[in-house]
C-alpha cells in the first residue's frame, strides 16, 4: 500500500506531496550524505539542492528522467548515484559538479554522453552498464583521472584507440557487449589490473603476459578456441583457466573443428551480472 501511495503522490507536484516522498529536507545530514533512493520520484525537489556541503547524493531506483539546474549548486558533491532511473540523456547540471569523482548511471536508457562530461576532471569511477550504447562514448577518453570504467551489457562492438591515453585506468568491465575480437588498444594499456570481456563474441585471445600489472582477466562465455596467456600472479576466469598452455592448445584444436558445439556450451541463457 505504501508503494502504491508513493506512486500516486509522485505525480502531484505540490510541496506537501513532495514532503511525503522525501521528508522536509530542512537540515543537511550530519554525514553530508542524502539518500533519496527508491522513493518513486519523478522529479528531484529543489530543496535537495540547497545543501552546499553535501558530499554524497543517492537517487537510485526512482523514475527520474531529468534534474533541475539547481543541482550544479552542489559544488562539493563527490558521489552521485543515478542508476535505475529513466534517463535518455545525461542532465547538463551533472557536468557542472567540479568535485564529482564517482558517477553511477547504470540501468538507464542512455545511448550517448555529452561532450561536457569532459569537464569532470576529478571523475575516477564511471558506471554505465545496462544502457543503450551501440558505440563507445568517445568523451570518456577525455577523463584524465578515470580509474574504473563499467560499460557492460550494452551493444558496443569495438573500443577506440584513443582509450589508451587514460593512463590512470586500472579496471575496465565490458562484459555482455558485441566485441568480435579482443580490443587491440587494451594490449597497449600495460597499467591495467582488471579486464572483463565476459559474454562477448571473441574467438581468439592474444597473449597478455607482457601486461605485468594485470591481476584479473574474465573472459568466460566467449566462443573462443584458447585462453589468454597471462603473467605470473594474474587470475583467469573462463574456459581452460586452470589448464597449462599445452593442454588448452590441444583442446582448442579440437574445439576449432566443432565450433557449433562450443558456442552452445559457453553461451548459456541465464542472466549474469558481475
Amino acid at each position: 500500500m505504501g508503494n502504491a501511495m508513493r506512486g500516486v503522490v509522485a505525480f502531484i507536484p505540490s510541496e506537501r506531496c513532495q514532503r511525503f516522498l522525501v521528508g522536509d529536507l530542512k537540515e543537511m545530514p550530519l554525514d553530508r550524505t542524502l539518500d533519496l533512493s527508491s522513493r518513486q520520484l519523478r522529479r528531484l525537489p529543489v530543496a535537495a539542492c540547497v545543501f552546499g556541503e553535501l558530499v554524497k547524493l543517492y537517487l537510485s531506483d526512482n523514475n527520474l528522467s531529468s534534474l533541475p539546474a539547481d543541482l550544479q549548486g552542489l559544488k562539493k558533491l563527490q558521489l552521485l548515484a543515478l542508476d535505475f532511473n529513466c534517463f535518455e540523456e545525461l542532465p547538463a547540471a551533472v557536468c557542472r559538479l567540479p568535485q564529482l569523482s564517482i558517477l553511477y548511471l547504470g540501468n538507464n536508457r542512455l545511448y550517448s554522453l555529452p561532450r561536457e562530461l569532459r569537464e569532470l576532471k576529478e571523475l575516477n569511477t564511471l558506471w554505465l552498464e545496462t544502457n543503450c550504447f551501440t558505440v563507445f562514448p568517445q568523451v570518456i577518453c577525455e577523463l584524465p583521472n578515470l580509474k574504473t570504467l563499467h560499460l557492460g551489457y550494452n551493444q558496443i562492438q569495438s573500443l577506440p584507440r584513443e582509450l589508451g591515453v587514460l593512463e590512470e585506468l586500472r579496471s575496465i568491465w565490458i562484459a555482455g557487449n558485441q566485441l568480435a575480437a579482443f580490443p587491440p588498444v587494451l594490449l597497449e594499456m600495460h597499467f591495467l589490473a582488471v579486464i572483463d570481456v565476459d559474454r562477448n563474441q571473441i574467438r581468439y585471445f592474444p597473449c597478455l603476459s607482457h601486461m605485468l600489472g594485470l591481476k584479473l582477466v574474465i573472459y568466460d562465455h566467449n566462443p573462443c578456441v584458447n585462453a589468454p596467456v597471462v603473467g605470473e600472479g594474474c587470475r583467469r576466469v573462463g574456459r581452460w583457466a586452470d589448464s597449462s598452455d599445452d593442454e588448452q592448445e590441444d583442446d582448442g584444436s579440437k574445439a576449432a573443428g566443432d565450433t557449433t558445439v562450443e558456442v552452445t556450451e559457453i553461451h548459456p541463457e541465464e542472466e549474469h551480472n558481475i
Side-chain angles (χ1 to χ4, degrees):
M1 182 64 180
N3 286 337
M5 180 64 73
R6 285 181 183 276
V8 172
V9 172
F11 282 99
I12 305 174
S14 74
E15 192 64 29
R16 181 178 180 182
C17 289
Q18 290 302 302
R19 283 201 302 270
F20 174 80
L21 293 173
V22 303
D24 286 337
L25 297 180
K26 290 182 177 180
E27 297 182 2
M28 188 183 74
L30 294 177
D31 61 359
R32 298 196 293 174
T33 297
L34 182 59
D35 189 350
L36 298 177
S37 300
S38 304
R39 307 293 182 95
Q40 298 198 27
L41 295 175
R42 296 183 179 274
R43 66 181 182 88
L44 178 65
V46 174
C49 301
V50 301
F51 303 133
E53 300 295 314
L54 201 65
V55 172
K56 299 178 181 180
L57 176 58
Y58 294 90
L59 298 171
S60 307
D61 190 25
N62 280 294
N63 296 302
L64 298 169
S65 58
S66 63
L67 294 173
D70 304 75
L71 183 78
Q72 65 192 57
L74 303 180
K75 298 300 184 183
K76 296 188 177 181
L77 199 67
Q78 297 176 20
L79 182 152
L80 178 60
L82 299 174
D83 46 324
F84 292 93
N85 275 285
C86 305
F87 292 101
E88 296 183 5
E89 297 180 352
L90 183 64
V94 174
C95 301
R96 298 173 184 144
L97 300 171
Q99 295 192 32
L100 196 64
S101 59
I102 302 175
L103 178 58
Y104 296 101
L105 291 169
N107 291 272
N108 277 284
R109 303 169 186 172
L110 298 169
Y111 56 89
S112 65
L113 294 175
R115 290 298 305 275
E116 290 76 13
L117 187 73
R118 61 183 173 175
E119 301 301 323
L120 299 179
K121 302 300 184 183
E122 300 302 317
L123 197 65
N124 63 55
T125 301
L126 179 59
W127 291 66
L128 292 165
E129 75 282 0
T130 315
N131 273 284
C132 302
F133 295 101
T134 58
V135 176
F136 185 91
Q138 197 78 19
V139 68
I140 291 176
C141 302
E142 300 182 57
L143 299 172
N145 288 308
L146 196 64
K147 292 180 172 60
T148 301
L149 174 61
H150 287 258
L151 251 174
Y153 300 94
N154 284 281
Q155 298 293 318
I156 295 171
Q157 298 182 20
S158 62
L159 302 184
R161 188 175 183 82
E162 291 81 0
L163 186 67
V165 305
L166 298 184
E167 296 184 355
E168 296 299 318
L169 194 65
R170 295 294 179 267
S171 302
I172 183 164
W173 308 79
I174 45 177
N177 277 282
Q178 298 294 322
L179 300 175
F182 188 84
V185 65
L186 298 185
L187 296 174
E188 303 171 7
M189 302 175 73
H190 300 177
F191 36 81
L192 284 173
V194 177
I195 297 176
D196 177 12
V197 289
D198 184 24
R199 295 184 185 277
N200 277 278
Q201 303 296 324
I202 301 172
R203 294 185 174 277
Y204 177 78
F205 282 95
C207 179
L208 306 180
S209 60
H210 66 288
M211 302 178 69
L212 301 181
L214 204 55
K215 302 300 181 187
L216 174 64
V217 179
I218 305 172
Y219 63 94
D220 209 8
H221 306 102
N222 279 279
C224 54
V225 297
N226 73 316
V229 177
V230 296
E232 185 177 354
C234 180
R235 181 189 174 205
R236 300 184 298 188
V237 177
R239 194 174 185 207
W240 302 296
D242 298 323
S243 303
S244 68
D245 294 339
D246 291 337
E247 289 174 333
Q248 69 165 289
E249 184 176 349
D250 291 341
D251 198 10
S253 298
K254 297 176 182 178
D258 195 7
T259 305
T260 303
V261 175
E262 295 304 335
V263 171
T264 301
E265 289 180 357
I266 61 181
H267 284 280
E269 296 298 327
E270 70 273 11
E271 184 176 349
H272 171 71
N273 292 306
I274 297 296

